[in-house]
Amino acid sequence: MKSEAPGQRTTSYIIFLIFPEVIIFLLLTFNMKEDQVVAEEPGFQDEEESLFQDIDLLQKHGINVADIKKLKSVGICTIKGIQMTTRRALCNVKGLSEAKVDKIKEAANKLIEPGFLTAFEYSEKRKMVFHITTGSQEFECVESRSVTQAFTEFRTGKTQLSHTLCVTAQLPGAGGYPGGKIIFIDTENTFRPDRLRDIADRFNVDHNAVLDNVLYARAYTSEHQMELLDYVAAKFHEEAGIFKLLIIDSIMALFRVDFSGRGELAERQQKLAQMLSRLQKISEEYNVAVFVTNQMTADPGATMTFQADPKKPIGGHILAHASTTRISLRKGRGELRIAKIYDSPEMPENEATFAITAGGIGDAKE
């Protein structure tokens, strides 16, 4: 072990005598930096803002672990999730009284901003929104923090579009989009992993990697479909920022079976509204894209108003208003299909032609 030479000790002593303030300042700065590193908690990124504030933070404001677990059991895993849930809905959680709910709401409000932003500040937040390609350059419509609905007749490409998005959502895209995982909820037993392999070949990506990144669930009733959303929210929270897309194919199929006749129409629409509200909140809370397919039915009153197309999407105004972007698909010549933007806050009404190929949705070739 080397000992310090006498000359070195003398030099150090002289420096300290001449510049004591400098030495003390440097020591204090070093200690402050160490304290900052220790104080930082994982999961707090400025760019993610409050999207992923963990619900466990409520413990610091007097909420016990047992009550936090009860919230997680119904898919409420973030502070923003509490803000998005009504007091009445929280009181319906088993084991939470009105007094506990008021305390939880009060604690959550201390951890999140009230909600008012300038238009400039909101435009900065909108930079987090990403777009997922459909495989066709003419037909680009799926974005995060929104619900995109594609309504079609049979054999017009809605399931093929869903399968293509399972692959394209995993690929890096424009604006620095890194790609990510997908959750697919199947209500009609139409999901086919082999189709993903064919589409993966088109984009030259590994079959096994593509299939591993798609989390699949089969829904059997409308109630089961709603229950799966609790699992979806928990999974998005568990792997924050990894999942990019939620697909439901199709959203109305089970509701048509479980609720029949005009006598059950009001109850059906109420349950549907609750599901759509949950989807919209999940898309905003975790910055993911939600893509749902829908069916069409004949409109008996269309003949009285001389409409050119007597068919309409099912689900009524509730499904129409809850969707951020609505797209209709119809058949063209051969394998060609035509997509029409019906309603969108960003895109004007327009039509695009695309093709269904062995590799999924692609550009139409004249």
Side-chain angles (χ1 to χ4, degrees):
M1 183 174 179
K2 291 184 178 180
S3 60
E4 194 179 35
Q8 290 178 328
R9 286 198 300 270
T10 304
T11 304
S12 301
Y13 181 69
I14 292 171
I15 290 173
F16 182 76
L17 288 176
I18 298 174
F19 304 108
E21 294 89 352
V22 176
I23 300 297
I24 293 170
F25 174 77
L26 290 173
L27 288 172
L28 287 173
T29 303
F30 178 76
N31 288 334
M32 285 174 65
K33 286 182 178 179
E34 279 194 331
D35 291 340
Q36 287 174 356
V37 172
V38 174
E40 286 179 358
E41 295 184 19
F44 279 79
Q45 294 90 6
D46 288 340
E47 68 246 16
E48 295 291 352
E49 297 185 359
S50 60
L51 286 178
F52 299 115
Q53 281 191 343
D54 198 290
I55 200 173
D56 290 331
L57 291 173
L58 292 177
Q59 292 183 52
K60 296 180 179 179
H61 295 270
I63 308 301
N64 62 54
V65 176
D67 290 337
I68 291 173
K69 285 183 178 179
K70 291 169 188 174
L71 291 170
K72 288 182 177 180
S73 69
V74 293
I76 302 174
C77 304
T78 67
I79 303 300
K80 197 172 187 70
I82 294 172
Q83 189 184 44
M84 290 177 167
T85 308
T86 64
R87 280 180 166 81
R88 186 172 67 174
L90 289 174
C91 287
N92 289 333
V93 177
K94 188 177 180 180
L96 292 185
S97 63
E98 288 187 14
K100 284 184 176 181
V101 168
D102 288 340
K103 190 176 180 181
I104 289 169
K105 279 284 189 179
E106 184 182 348
N109 288 335
K110 293 177 181 177
L111 292 167
I112 200 166
E113 74 279 355
F116 283 100
L117 302 170
T118 66
F120 177 77
E121 289 170 335
Y122 186 65
S123 71
E124 292 298 305
K125 290 187 72 172
R126 287 284 300 172
K127 290 180 180 179
M128 295 171 59
V129 171
F130 57 83
H131 294 79
I132 299 174
T133 179
T134 62
S136 170
Q137 293 182 357
E138 283 191 41
F139 178 33
E140 300 292 345
C141 59
V142 182
E143 69 174 17
S144 67
R145 306 193 77 172
S146 66
V147 177
T148 302
Q149 177 198 166
F151 56 91
T152 72
E153 299 179 71
F154 61 93
R155 292 194 69 252
T156 50
K158 63 183 177 67
T159 298
Q160 297 304 317
L161 177 56
S162 299
H163 282 73
T164 305
L165 287 171
C166 282
V167 178
T168 58
Q170 301 183 39
L171 307 175
Y177 171 67
K181 294 182 178 181
I182 300 93
I183 291 182
F184 194 111
I185 297 178
D186 182 8
T187 68
E188 298 182 290
N189 194 28
T190 54
F191 181 76
R192 297 294 182 268
D194 287 341
R195 283 297 291 137
L196 299 189
R197 291 188 174 94
D198 295 337
I199 299 168
D201 285 337
R202 169 189 167 189
F203 292 99
N204 297 316
V205 289
D206 181 70
H207 291 180
N208 294 335
V210 165
L211 295 178
D212 281 341
N213 286 333
V214 178
L215 204 57
Y216 170 81
R218 174 78 163 94
Y220 295 98
T221 67
S222 57
E223 289 181 359
H224 184 207
Q225 187 174 332
M226 188 67 176
E227 289 166 2
L228 285 172
L229 295 186
D230 292 341
Y231 176 82
V232 168
K235 199 66 181 174
F236 285 170
H237 174 262
E238 180 185 336
E239 299 186 46
I242 302 300
F243 283 90
K244 301 297 184 183
L245 176 64
L246 168 63
I247 297 174
I248 302 180
D249 184 23
S250 68
I251 192 165
M252 284 299 301
L254 297 175
F255 282 92
R256 297 182 80 179
V257 174
D258 295 346
F259 300 91
S260 58
R262 290 188 175 275
E264 296 183 342
L265 181 60
E267 185 182 359
R268 185 193 82 170
Q269 293 303 89
Q270 183 183 36
K271 297 291 185 184
L272 177 62
Q274 291 171 355
M275 174 171 290
L276 291 166
S277 175
R278 188 74 194 279
L279 287 173
Q280 185 64 58
K281 289 172 182 175
I282 285 174
S283 71
E284 292 184 32
E285 187 177 359
Y286 297 103
N287 191 29
V288 299
V290 176
F291 178 79
V292 301
T293 66
N294 192 16
Q295 304 163 340
M296 297 185 74
T297 185
D299 183 4
T303 54
M304 302 296 293
T305 55
F306 303 101
Q307 291 181 17
D309 188 357
K311 296 177 291 297
K312 65 177 183 179
I314 59 177
H317 294 297
I318 287 177
L319 184 52
H321 291 308
S323 304
T324 314
T325 301
R326 298 171 68 212
I327 305 155
S328 72
L329 306 179
R330 68 177 190 269
K331 297 175 186 176
R333 299 191 315 271
E335 295 302 317
L336 295 182
R337 300 291 185 269
I338 300 167
K340 180 179 180 180
I341 302 293
Y342 249 70
D343 181 27
S344 173
E346 290 190 1
M347 296 176 285
E349 276 196 21
N350 199 7
E351 290 190 351
T353 304
F354 64 95
I356 298 176
T357 68
I361 300 298
D363 291 318
K365 297 178 180 179
E366 298 296 337

